[in-house]
Amino acid sequence: MTETSEVTSPPESRSFRNFKIVWLGQLLSSIGSPFQSIAVSIWFLETGKGASALAAVLAAGTISQLIGTLFSGPLVDRRGALSIILNCDIIRCVLASLLAVALLLEFNTVAIIALVSVSGIVGGVFLPALRSAPGVLLSEEDRPRGNSLMEVSNSMSMLVGALAGGMTVALIGPIPAVGFNAASFAIGALCAALMKRRSTITNTTTTIDSMANLVREGLAFVWQTSWLRTLLFVDATLDLVTAGQLSVGLPAISRQMTGASSLGLMIAGFGAGSLLGALLAGRLPKIPLLPIRMVYLLQLLAAPFLGVLPLINLPAAIACLAMAGILNAIASVQYISIIQRNVDSAMLGRVMALLVAAGLSVQPLGQILCGILIEDGWMRESFAVGTLVMMLVCILGLTRRNLGKLA
């Protein structure tokens, strides 16, 4: 077997201006994603299929995304991040269109689960490619700005996508909302195709045997690299805690306030903070502190803002979530930039895939644990324990010597 690698594009095709074409497409598709998730949730409840059926769909989507992520690394490293983004957006456009038809014709739950599962697999392949994109499409000088823009997309999804998606579903129904998501994927694919035409990045082919070898190489690389093992552990632990706090804890807190409106305002507060943090991340002056230490210091400072949420009123909760969003967004941009600087581009897709998979694999456990504690009347204690775990694991990251080598 002859191994192939992605041809590195010359500086003119790796320009920040060209990269923004891809980013604009992904910005719209990230805003469209909450349209679909809200639409499916409301459709299941309005059609009387029940919360248990909705839970099954959501679980199937998460598990499928994890499966797709496990296979995405070799594809990204051999086919190229841009090609994966383009192909995934085309497939997701088709799947979203089929889902709109399925909702219109009121297909059964099994059919909806099948569509959501396939979409989850494609989304799992897509996410590591998107995270790898600045590392392979931009020069080292432009990568922090590129990562900052990617974080802006995530923030806009929470701030604009969730609010606009909820209003769309409320005013004109779930099916047009899913249709909007399909259109956003089509625009994302169009922008990726335009960038691909301007670029000299070429695709490569990979056999099934070489795919297996690439997976083994990626696992071996992470296992043999001590600082990556530490990052995986810290990242997974933070996801374990925050998944429960944000996805289960916030709805529970909102029930003690004004219900759905307070939940929307809290999510918007976190999204607004994330947007501000993402915009600041590429413009902050250099600080005489190792970048990885800065990441964990920021996460350490964010932990108490989450821990106090069950103890305060709605305006204070929105302010705390906004502060947590700012700190988390800056840390995320730094984190991705560090990995891109310290991992060879030929291995970057597999490393990103493993980092994403580590977080996805523990999120359901975190949600279940948080849900059990809250149902038993331990809401304040669950947030306090979560905050303590976050702070301890961040202190671990700050003190680990094997992270001191990271630039």
Side-chain angles (χ1 to χ4, degrees):
M1 180 194 71
T2 302
E3 283 204 13
T4 57
S5 60
E6 184 177 293
V7 176
T8 302
S9 56
E12 60 270 18
S13 67
R14 290 163 64 95
S15 72
F16 192 76
R17 181 180 179 182
N18 284 345
F19 174 78
K20 285 197 291 187
I21 296 173
V22 178
W23 174 76
L24 285 171
Q26 295 312 311
L27 173 64
L28 185 57
S29 66
S30 68
I31 291 174
S33 293
F35 279 67
Q36 179 166 306
S37 59
I38 293 172
V40 171
S41 298
I42 297 300
W43 183 86
F44 266 89
L45 297 177
E46 287 184 344
T47 56
K49 296 184 182 296
S52 60
L54 174 59
V57 171
L58 295 176
T62 301
I63 294 170
S64 300
Q65 187 176 3
L66 175 59
I67 293 172
T69 300
L70 294 174
F71 289 95
S72 65
L75 289 173
V76 174
D77 286 336
R78 283 298 178 261
R79 298 292 298 175
L82 189 58
S83 293
I84 296 299
I85 291 171
L86 171 59
N87 293 326
C88 284
D89 272 345
I90 292 173
I91 297 171
R92 292 195 298 173
C93 175
V94 173
L95 291 171
S97 300
L98 291 174
L99 180 60
V101 173
L103 298 184
L104 177 65
L105 300 179
E106 295 192 3
F107 281 18
N108 60 34
T109 302
V110 175
I112 303 298
I113 287 177
L115 283 171
V116 171
S117 297
V118 177
S119 298
I121 291 173
V122 178
V125 173
F126 170 84
L127 185 55
L130 187 63
R131 286 193 173 187
S132 302
V136 296
L137 299 179
L138 291 174
S139 65
E140 185 172 347
E141 180 183 355
D142 285 331
R143 286 173 191 170
R145 285 197 296 162
N147 291 323
S148 179
L149 284 180
M150 289 299 184
E151 191 63 31
V152 166
S153 298
N154 295 333
S155 305
M156 293 294 287
S157 174
M158 290 183 288
L159 179 61
V160 177
L163 293 175
M167 291 178 61
T168 300
V169 173
L171 293 174
I172 58 178
I175 296 168
V178 177
F180 177 85
N181 189 44
S184 73
F185 288 141
I187 294 174
L190 180 63
C191 290
L194 181 59
M195 169 66 184
K196 192 174 178 63
R197 185 176 65 82
R198 292 189 176 191
S199 162
T200 59
I201 298 175
T202 60
N203 295 332
T204 58
T205 58
T206 308
T207 66
I208 294 177
D209 288 340
S210 67
M211 282 283 290
N213 288 332
L214 289 171
V215 171
R216 286 193 292 268
E217 287 175 8
L219 291 171
F221 177 76
V222 171
W223 181 253
Q224 294 167 7
T225 309
S226 63
W227 63 266
L228 269 177
R229 294 201 306 269
T230 301
L231 290 186
L232 278 171
F233 172 77
V234 174
D235 198 36
T237 305
L238 291 174
D239 276 346
L240 173 70
V241 173
T242 55
Q245 288 180 329
L246 296 177
S247 65
V248 180
L250 286 188
I253 291 172
S254 72
R255 290 204 301 267
Q256 301 177 357
M257 296 177 178
T258 61
S261 60
S262 61
L263 177 60
L265 289 170
M266 286 190 290
I267 294 174
F270 187 80
S274 298
L275 177 59
L276 179 58
L279 294 173
L280 289 173
R283 296 169 173 80
L284 291 176
K286 290 187 177 181
I287 300 173
L289 184 67
L290 285 174
I292 193 63
R293 300 272 168 79
M294 177 58 67
V295 168
Y296 293 134
L297 179 60
L298 290 169
Q299 296 285 13
L300 181 64
L301 293 174
F305 288 107
L306 298 177
V308 300
L309 291 176
L311 309 174
I312 54 181
N313 59 22
L314 179 58
I318 294 172
C320 285
L321 283 164
M323 284 300 304
I326 292 172
L327 296 169
N328 181 71
I330 296 173
S332 296
V333 172
Q334 290 267 13
Y335 181 72
I336 298 299
S337 298
I338 289 166
I339 295 171
Q340 291 169 353
R341 284 196 298 268
N342 289 276
V343 175
D344 187 82
S345 60
M347 190 66 66
L348 185 58
R350 281 166 283 180
V351 171
M352 288 295 184
L354 288 171
L355 289 170
V356 173
L360 286 174
S361 63
V362 299
Q363 285 181 18
L365 176 60
Q367 292 165 339
I368 292 170
L369 289 175
C370 189
I372 292 173
L373 290 172
I374 290 174
E375 286 296 325
D376 289 341
W378 298 88
M379 180 189 296
R380 294 183 177 183
E381 290 79 4
S382 69
F383 272 80
V385 170
T387 298
L388 179 61
V389 172
M390 287 182 67
M391 295 178 73
L392 289 175
V393 78
C394 288
I395 291 172
L396 173 67
L398 285 168
T399 56
R400 288 289 293 178
R401 291 182 179 180
N402 62 345
L403 299 182
K405 303 175 184 178
L406 298 181

